[in-house]
């Protein structure tokens, strides 16, 4: 089920990314980055579907799989809604921390260093080096 959902989302992203390309070169197009993400998501969803259909039909997803998926979707929606309020840095640190908790990480060192390091590296790469305005 997740593979089909990600496949649909990736096709939606690719479709809208292609509609953003309205001028000149692709390097200057605002649809380039969403297009790259959409293609990567498409490839990963195909691998997920292939893995799923390679498994015997007798095996079914457990309740915890659906719980994790649902919590991840709710967390992503909360992240999107928190960006205008908490801005990029704080929202991303909180999102990464909570996502690691959902995935079952309980090591306090990983729960502190990974979200802060991830946010700092994204901010430095896109905000400082590439001068992209982050929310």
């Amino acid at each position: 089920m997740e593979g089909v959902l990600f496949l649909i989302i990736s096709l939606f992203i690719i479709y809208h990314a292609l509609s953003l390309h309205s001028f000149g070169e692709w390097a200057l197009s605002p649809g380039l980055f969403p297009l790259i993400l959409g293609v990567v998501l498409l490839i990963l969803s195909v691998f997920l579907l292939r893995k799923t259909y390679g498994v015997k039909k007798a095996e079914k997803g457990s309740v915890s799989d659906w719980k994790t998926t649902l919590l991840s979707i709710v967390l992503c929606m909360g992240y999107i809604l928190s960006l205008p309020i908490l801005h990029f840095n704080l929202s991303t640190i909180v999102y990464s921390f909570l996502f690691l908790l959902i995935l079952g990480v309980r090591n306090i060192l990983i729960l502190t260093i990974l979200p802060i390091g991830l946010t700092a590296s994204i901010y430095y790469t896109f905000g400082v080096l590439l001068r992209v305005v982050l929310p």
Side-chain angles (χ1 to χ4, degrees):
M1 187 67 178
E2 292 91 356
V4 173
L5 178 67
F6 288 134
L7 182 69
I8 292 169
I9 291 171
S10 70
L11 293 174
F12 179 78
I13 291 171
I14 291 170
Y15 174 77
H16 283 290
L18 290 173
S19 70
L20 289 174
H21 179 66
S22 59
F23 62 91
E25 299 179 29
W26 268 104
L28 300 174
S29 175
L32 178 62
F33 190 66
L35 180 65
I36 292 170
L37 291 178
V39 169
V40 169
L41 184 61
L42 176 74
I43 292 168
L44 293 174
S45 64
V46 168
F47 282 134
L48 183 61
L49 283 170
R50 192 169 164 196
K51 180 182 175 186
T52 301
Y53 287 115
V55 176
K56 297 177 184 176
K57 289 187 177 182
E59 298 177 18
K60 296 192 178 198
S62 66
V63 174
S64 65
D65 291 341
W66 284 102
K67 183 179 173 184
T68 303
T69 304
L70 184 62
L71 283 172
S72 300
I73 291 171
V74 169
L75 184 61
C76 288
M77 294 301 166
Y79 176 66
I80 292 169
L81 294 174
S82 73
L83 277 171
I85 300 165
L86 301 176
H87 303 291
F88 176 77
N89 290 334
L90 187 57
S91 293
T92 305
I93 289 172
V94 171
Y95 170 77
S96 302
F97 178 81
L98 293 175
F99 197 74
L100 288 171
L101 282 176
I102 289 172
L103 293 177
V105 175
R106 298 295 181 254
N107 185 335
I108 196 71
L109 190 61
I110 292 174
L111 286 172
T112 54
I113 291 176
L114 194 61
I116 293 170
L118 175 71
T119 304
S121 64
I122 291 172
Y123 178 77
Y124 181 73
T125 303
F126 289 97
V128 176
L129 295 178
L130 298 174
R131 295 187 183 137
V132 174
V133 178
L134 297 171

